[in-house]
């Protein structure tokens, strides 16, 4: 059985050599093979470079995050408020409904929020660099019900979906401005 495999392998190698060294079309085939190998080399090089840059940037981010966590530097209330607001915006569906008050590292959260978001919200806000304490004065609701601030939950954009910024309105605005 192993002998048959070697014979077939030898036949395949021989056929490949004949295919490339054929006097009629071999030159063209060799050029195509060379071009494909060069292209594959370039793509591999590009992929390795992009991956290398990505890993480097991620490592720098981790180091910066660790340095920031190890340093116990005082963060101004305005900076801390903006950090917390940014974090809230990535967690809660209605971030605008939540008021954030910051004083010396103590963050107070007020406003309506859905019960399914409360634990994650508090945990993630506690994890913001510079936050010493989180005080929750949140109004917890099981469902949006008749709470105006919780109405109209934004729909997440699906993968591959194009986000269109109302192009007809942009065109109308441009035409009016240009006098068309």
């Amino acid at each position: 059985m192993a002998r048959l495999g070697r014979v077939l392998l030898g036949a395949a190698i021989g056929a490949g050599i004949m295919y490339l060294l054929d006097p009629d079309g071999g030159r063209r085939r060799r050029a195509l093979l060379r071009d494909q190998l060069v292209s594959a080399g370039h793509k591999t090089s590009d992929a390795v470079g992009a991956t290398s840059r990505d890993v480097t940037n991620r490592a720098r981010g981790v180091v910066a995050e660790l340095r920031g966590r190890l340093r116990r530097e005082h963060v101004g209330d305005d900076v801390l408020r903006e950090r917390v607001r940014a974090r809230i915006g990535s967690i809660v569906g209605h971030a605008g409904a939540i008021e954030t008050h910051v004083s010396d590292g103590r963050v107070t959260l007020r406003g309506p929020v859905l019960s399914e978001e409360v634990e994650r919200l508090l945990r993630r806000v506690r994890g913001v660099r510079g936050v010493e304490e989180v005080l929750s004065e949140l109004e917890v609701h099981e469902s949006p019900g008749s709470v105006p601030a919780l109405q109209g939950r934004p729909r997440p954009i699906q993968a591959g979906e194009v986000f269109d910024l109302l192009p007809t309105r942009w065109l109308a605005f441009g035409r009016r401005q240009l006098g068309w």
Side-chain angles (χ1 to χ4, degrees):
M1 191 69 169
R3 187 177 179 142
L4 178 62
R6 286 188 213 149
V7 170
L8 289 176
L9 178 63
I13 291 173
I17 291 172
M18 284 177 45
Y19 181 76
L20 291 175
L21 298 179
D22 177 30
D24 292 334
R27 182 177 181 158
R28 181 180 153 277
R29 292 178 188 142
R30 288 189 302 274
L32 283 172
L33 180 62
R34 182 193 66 232
D35 290 346
Q36 289 175 347
L37 289 173
V38 167
S39 175
H42 288 300
K43 286 180 182 177
T44 302
S45 175
D46 291 345
V48 167
T51 303
S52 172
R53 285 189 303 277
D54 181 53
V55 168
T56 301
N57 290 336
R58 287 176 189 261
R60 285 181 181 158
V62 167
V63 168
E65 183 69 26
L66 288 174
R67 279 186 186 153
R69 291 202 181 273
L70 293 175
R71 276 191 237 142
R72 300 295 290 179
E73 63 186 36
H74 178 71
V75 178
D77 290 346
D78 292 336
V79 171
L80 189 55
R81 182 180 304 110
E82 292 306 314
R83 285 182 186 173
V84 170
R85 294 297 310 161
R87 183 64 57 94
I88 290 172
S90 69
I91 301 168
V92 180
H94 295 89
I98 298 176
E99 295 177 31
T100 308
H101 300 280
V102 178
S103 177
D104 295 326
R106 294 179 56 171
V107 178
T108 304
L109 302 174
R110 292 189 186 105
V113 67
L114 295 174
S115 60
E116 63 197 39
E117 300 172 330
V118 173
E119 282 303 314
R120 185 178 49 184
L121 171 65
L122 295 175
R123 183 177 63 246
R124 297 283 302 272
V125 169
R126 282 186 197 106
V128 173
R129 194 167 20 127
V131 172
E132 300 294 329
E133 183 181 4
V134 177
L135 302 172
S136 174
E137 296 179 5
L138 296 167
E139 304 164 21
V140 180
H141 300 274
E142 291 297 320
S143 66
S146 62
V147 181
L150 297 179
Q151 299 302 311
R153 182 175 189 126
R155 181 178 64 89
I157 297 174
Q158 301 297 321
E161 182 180 357
V162 176
F163 184 68
D164 196 6
L165 289 174
L166 303 171
T168 55
R169 295 181 81 186
W170 285 106
L171 278 175
F173 175 76
R175 286 182 181 154
R176 242 181 288 131
Q177 292 299 96
L178 297 173
W180 292 351

